[in-house]
Amino acid sequence: SWVGLKWFRTFFNMPRFWQIVKNTLTISLYSLIAGFPSPVILALMINSVRNTRFQKVTQTITYMPHFISVVVLVGILNLFFNQGNGLINVFLDKMGFEKFGFLTSSAAFPSMYVWSGVWQNAGWNSIIYIAALAAIDPQLHEAAQIDGASRLQRILHINLPGILPTAIIMFILDVGQVMNMGFEKVFLMQNAQNTETSQVISTFVYEAGLINSDYGFSTAIGLFNNIINIVLLLTVNKIAKKISDTSLF
């Protein structure tokens, strides 16, 4: 039967509502701030390498983490950061420092999630920027070199403006996914000690829909999530169109 806005009101009135939304936005915006410029910087660095063989090796190495499954990635995090016998904590213990629960700390969870994602995806995401850099007319660099421009000046005044339209499009797409955090990785990294910051909308939908079999409630939460994404996408697209004349539509 049609229940109108019942499930939306139930979700909005929940004691955990603001905490869940805050966690989702905090981790998503943190991921955007750290993850968006990383492939751009990496692409500029790789493009500046003169040795072609070294450049190809570097590209291959940075691409490889993308093909690691999320389960394996979280397993690697456990090997390195486990409080009992993780390599980092063993090293800290040998150096005379107190062991730290990286994977059980609520404060550390956002950083663990975000920077492991940057390591895994920066190389793969840089491909599109490397392609955009390859499309820049070499004559611009030759003319700049004749005028005495340094490598940094060529990066700032030729490379960055050359990939700006691509970067704007990618930024709009990333903002449109702000509320859609990957469920698998958060779920695998989540434990009883870090739920204060690791409980996000996607894991709450799983809990409500599959564990508690409350399908109407979980569907309403998912719809709310998608509406926020659409609003953000349209807003950022409109702003980008006014500022730079580059947009999705």
Side-chain angles (χ1 to χ4, degrees), residues 36 129 163-173 240 244 246-247:
F36 178 74
Y129 297 109
I163 64 173
L164 185 60
T166 302
I168 290 173
I169 295 296
M170 297 303 295
F171 181 74
I172 294 171
L173 292 173
S244 65
T246 301
S247 62

Side-chain angles (χ1 to χ4, degrees), residues 8-237:
F8 292 100
R9 286 195 295 267
T10 301
F11 182 51
F12 297 153
N13 292 327
M14 283 180 53
R16 289 193 294 166
F17 169 74
W18 288 112
Q19 185 66 45
I20 293 169
V21 172
K22 178 188 173 184
N23 291 344
T24 305
L25 287 174
T26 299
I27 297 175
S28 296
L29 292 175
Y30 189 177
S31 298
L32 185 64
I33 292 169
F36 178 74
S38 299
V40 178
I41 295 169
L42 181 61
L44 291 170
M45 291 172 65
I46 291 174
N47 187 69
S48 299
V49 175
R50 293 180 179 178
N51 188 313
T52 306
R53 186 174 181 180
F54 179 72
Q55 185 184 62
K56 290 181 178 179
V57 171
T58 304
Q59 284 179 301
T60 302
I61 292 172
T62 56
Y63 295 166
M64 287 173 66
H66 175 76
F67 300 99
I68 298 174
S69 74
V70 176
V71 176
V72 174
L73 175 62
V74 176
I76 293 172
L77 291 177
N78 274 285
L79 286 173
F80 277 88
F81 296 100
N82 184 278
Q83 188 170 3
N85 55 3
L87 294 177
I88 301 298
N89 274 311
V90 169
F91 176 75
L92 289 175
D93 187 51
K94 295 292 185 183
M95 295 294 291
F97 297 101
E98 186 178 349
K99 291 184 177 181
F100 181 75
F102 293 96
L103 300 177
T104 56
S105 168
S106 293
F109 179 84
S111 294
M112 295 294 297
Y113 177 90
V114 170
W115 290 107
S116 62
V118 170
W119 172 77
Q120 185 178 26
N121 296 312
W124 180 258
N125 293 336
S126 69
I127 292 174
I128 191 168
Y129 297 109
I130 292 173
L133 288 167
I136 295 174
D137 190 349
Q139 293 182 357
L140 293 173
H141 286 280
E142 292 171 3
Q145 283 179 304
I146 292 172
D147 290 337
S150 65
R151 182 177 297 185
L152 179 60
Q153 287 174 321
R154 286 187 283 124
I155 290 173
L156 293 175
H157 299 290
I158 298 175
N159 288 343
L160 282 178
I163 64 173
L164 185 60
T166 302
I168 290 173
I169 295 296
M170 297 303 295
F171 181 74
I172 294 171
L173 292 173
D174 286 347
V175 170
Q177 297 292 320
V178 159
M179 299 291 285
N180 285 349
M181 289 184 58
F183 163 77
E184 296 90 349
K185 186 177 173 183
V186 178
F187 183 72
L188 290 168
M189 292 180 66
Q190 193 176 82
N191 53 60
Q193 288 79 26
N194 64 21
T195 50
E196 184 181 344
T197 56
S198 66
Q199 181 73 294
V200 295
I201 289 178
S202 60
T203 56
F204 184 72
V205 168
Y206 164 77
E207 181 183 311
L210 295 182
I211 295 181
N212 299 331
S213 300
D214 202 343
Y215 303 116
F217 182 44
S218 61
T219 301
I221 299 171
L223 180 59
F224 162 77
N225 200 42
N226 290 331
I227 289 172
I228 298 297
N229 278 334
I230 291 171
V231 171
L232 288 172
L233 176 65
L234 294 175
T235 303
V236 174
N237 185 73

